[in-house]
């Protein structure tokens, strides 16, 4: 799956142009395996423009519950909006909004309860990477975020090294492949029902490096920030993904 993470970007006019460009690029090839996570405020606009094509429209985050929580969007609101997937644990939420693994685990539980596909984001800091602690860090994040939860078949993990997000720096695709294999093993051993999740890579994916990632056996797609803001570039990346992964 290829997911666009628009973060706090977009406006009504430019979203319209983006959707029309995507439709003109994809309408004869189909919209399978494409997800878009716009801002909450633009969710319905994007849903109305694209949902009939089968594109999955999701949220970038969710709160753990509803009620007296000013400024929040509750899990039942997400379900009510027909949100198809939801990112949780993105490093910007962890860093700027102090989401810890315990909170992310609660969010996971609520998504499962409301039958919304969870896209659990994990990733190590540059210090952890340099100290050779990547696998240890990822294992802790996975175990603490899914602890005590029954894993759904549709769980997606997005591996996003914090130091690769929005920087233009990426780990070597071969190393990412090894890490994805490790992530699949950790998730599988943490679940009673032996779930092997799809694992997406995220962090400075663009149309020039996408092929190097998608040829790797365990890289099942991408979570794309900056390069997803341009519909033509995003479509180019989808084309590359399909050529290499959907044979
Ligand atoms: P980037 O962002 O593609 O701009 O590095 C990825 C993300 O934050 O999900």
């Amino acid at each position: 799956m290829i997911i666009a993470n628009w973060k706090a970007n977009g406006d009504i006019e430019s979203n319209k142009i983006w959707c029309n460009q995507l439709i003109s690029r994809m309408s004869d090839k189909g919209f399978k395996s494409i997800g878009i996570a716009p801002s909450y405020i633009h969710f319905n606009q994007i849903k109305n423009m694209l949902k009939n094509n089968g594109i999955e429209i999701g949220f970038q985050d969710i709160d753990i519950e509803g009620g007296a929580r000013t400024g929040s969007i509750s899990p039942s609101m997400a379900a009510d909006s027909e949100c198809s997937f939801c990112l949780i644990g993105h490093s910007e939420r962890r860093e700027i909004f102090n989401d810890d693994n315990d909170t992310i685990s609660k969010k996971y539980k609520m998504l499962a309860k409301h039958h919304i596909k969870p896209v659990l984001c994990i990733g190590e800091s540059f210090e952890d990477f340099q100290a050779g602690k990547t696998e240890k860090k990822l294992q802790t994040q996975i175990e603490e975020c899914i602890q005590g939860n029954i894993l759904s078949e549709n769980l997606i993990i997005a591996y996003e090294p914090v130091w690769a997000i929005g920087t233009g720096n990426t780990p070597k695709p071969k190393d990412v492949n090894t890490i994805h294999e490790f992530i699949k093993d950790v998730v599988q051993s943490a679940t009673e029902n032996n779930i092997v999740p799809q694992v997406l890579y995220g962090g400075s994916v663009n149309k020039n490096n996408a092929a190097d990632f998608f040829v790797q056996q365990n890289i099942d797609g991408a979570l794309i920030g900056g390069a997803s803001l341009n519909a033509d570039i995003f479509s180019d990346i989808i084309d590359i993904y399909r050529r290499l992964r959907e044979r």
Side-chain angles (χ1 to χ4, degrees):
M1 187 168 182
I2 304 290
I3 300 179
N5 174 13
W6 283 3
K7 310 188 181 187
N9 291 292
D11 55 61
I12 291 176
E13 231 8 78
S14 65
N15 291 350
K16 242 187 244 168
I17 297 169
W18 193 100
C19 291
N20 285 331
Q21 274 177 334
L22 188 81
I23 291 168
S24 76
R25 282 284 304 265
M26 290 294 145
S27 48
D28 41 342
K29 303 176 199 161
F31 295 84
K32 203 174 134 248
S33 311
I34 305 175
I36 302 173
S39 74
Y40 296 122
I41 200 87
H42 297 128
F43 180 88
N44 272 330
Q45 182 198 11
I46 304 303
K47 190 175 93 175
N48 292 337
M49 286 196 75
L50 296 177
K51 200 172 171 236
N52 288 343
N53 296 314
I55 291 188
E56 297 190 40
I57 320 287
F59 281 9
Q60 299 171 13
D61 192 48
I62 196 69
D63 200 355
I64 54 174
E65 58 190 355
R69 301 175 71 81
T70 302
S72 275
I73 304 286
S74 75
S76 61
M77 289 173 187
D80 197 35
S81 310
E82 297 174 31
C83 158
S84 141
F85 67 89
C86 181
L87 310 184
I88 47 173
H90 190 282
S91 66
E92 287 152 15
R93 299 298 312 182
R94 291 177 190 261
E95 271 174 34
I96 307 169
F97 300 95
N98 298 323
D99 273 13
D100 58 15
N101 290 337
D102 184 49
T103 305
I104 297 162
S105 165
K106 292 187 178 122
K107 293 182 178 187
Y108 180 90
K109 199 170 265 136
M110 294 316 288
L111 293 179
K113 181 174 166 201
H114 290 280
H115 309 290
I116 296 168
K117 187 191 297 183
V119 180
L120 170 63
C121 304
I122 57 174
E124 82 285 4
S125 65
F126 191 59
E127 293 71 41
D128 288 331
F129 172 72
Q130 276 189 316
K133 291 187 184 155
T134 297
E135 294 196 344
K136 193 168 178 296
K137 184 71 190 245
L138 299 178
Q139 180 155 7
T140 306
Q141 287 179 337
I142 294 169
E143 289 177 350
E144 291 185 4
C145 291
I146 62 180
Q147 54 172 324
N149 284 306
I150 303 201
L151 294 193
S152 38
E153 300 276 344
N154 60 5
L155 168 68
I156 293 179
I157 306 269
Y159 168 55
E160 300 200 301
V162 178
W163 52 275
I165 295 177
T167 60
N169 300 324
T170 63
K172 292 194 184 73
K174 263 185 94 153
D175 295 342
V176 175
N177 189 55
T178 308
I179 289 170
H180 282 206
E181 200 175 351
F182 171 78
I183 291 169
K184 290 179 187 195
D185 280 351
V186 172
V187 174
Q188 194 176 14
S189 6
T191 58
E192 278 173 32
N193 44 345
N194 280 322
I195 296 289
V196 181
Q198 267 192 65
V199 184
L200 314 183
Y201 169 73
S204 297
V205 174
N206 58 45
K207 65 177 184 177
N208 300 321
N209 62 20
D212 297 337
F213 288 109
F214 299 148
V215 289
Q216 303 292 332
Q217 196 188 348
N218 290 299
I219 300 181
D220 303 314
L223 178 57
I224 305 174
S228 74
L229 298 177
N230 178 309
D232 255 330
I233 294 176
F234 186 59
S235 305
D236 287 339
I237 297 173
I238 294 164
D239 283 343
I240 296 167
Y241 171 77
R242 289 185 172 164
R243 178 163 52 80
L244 295 169
R245 307 295 301 197
E246 292 187 343
R247 279 165 291 178

